[in-house]
Amino acid sequence: MCLRAAAGTYHRYDNLWRRVGENLGWAGKQGVSTHWLRYTTLTWVERHFGYAVARAYAGHNDTNTDAGSTTTYVRATLEEVATALAALTGEHHPLAA
């Protein structure tokens, strides 16, 4: 049941992004999708604010990965994530530095 519901959601997003691509040529050429937006945003955050902030921004701050033992010690604060969000959007965030 869960897999079926998830598959339906993915198909809805695929249809949405197909329609966006048909109406916005640049989006179609770039292959814009939900994954593309997440990847592009997280890449930008990582390049401007570092790995720890990008990890927290993605919601991966407290998960175990095989990215190496350094990730055990590298953590972003809520203030750092809010600062990244403010910089990305150009909007003030009350928790940003």
Side-chain angles (χ1 to χ4, degrees):
M1 178 90 171
C2 290
L3 290 176
R4 187 174 187 178
T9 301
Y10 289 125
H11 289 298
R12 269 185 250 128
Y13 282 124
D14 286 345
N15 187 43
L16 172 68
W17 290 114
R18 181 188 52 74
R19 289 176 29 217
V20 168
E22 289 171 357
N23 289 287
L24 299 173
W26 66 267
K29 288 177 185 173
Q30 291 290 324
V32 174
S33 67
T34 303
H35 174 76
W36 184 91
L37 291 172
R38 181 176 171 83
Y39 174 82
T40 303
T41 301
L42 291 175
T43 299
W44 184 90
V45 171
E46 188 273 330
R47 298 293 191 273
H48 290 86
F49 295 94
Y51 176 77
V53 175
R55 199 169 140 82
Y57 196 95
H60 299 159
N61 210 23
D62 293 326
T63 60
N64 292 328
T65 67
D66 49 345
S69 58
T70 304
T71 60
T72 302
Y73 306 103
V74 177
R75 297 282 186 249
T77 65
L78 185 57
E79 182 180 85
E80 290 171 318
V81 175
T83 300
L85 178 62
L88 178 65
T89 62
E91 298 287 331
H92 171 74
H93 192 289
L95 298 177

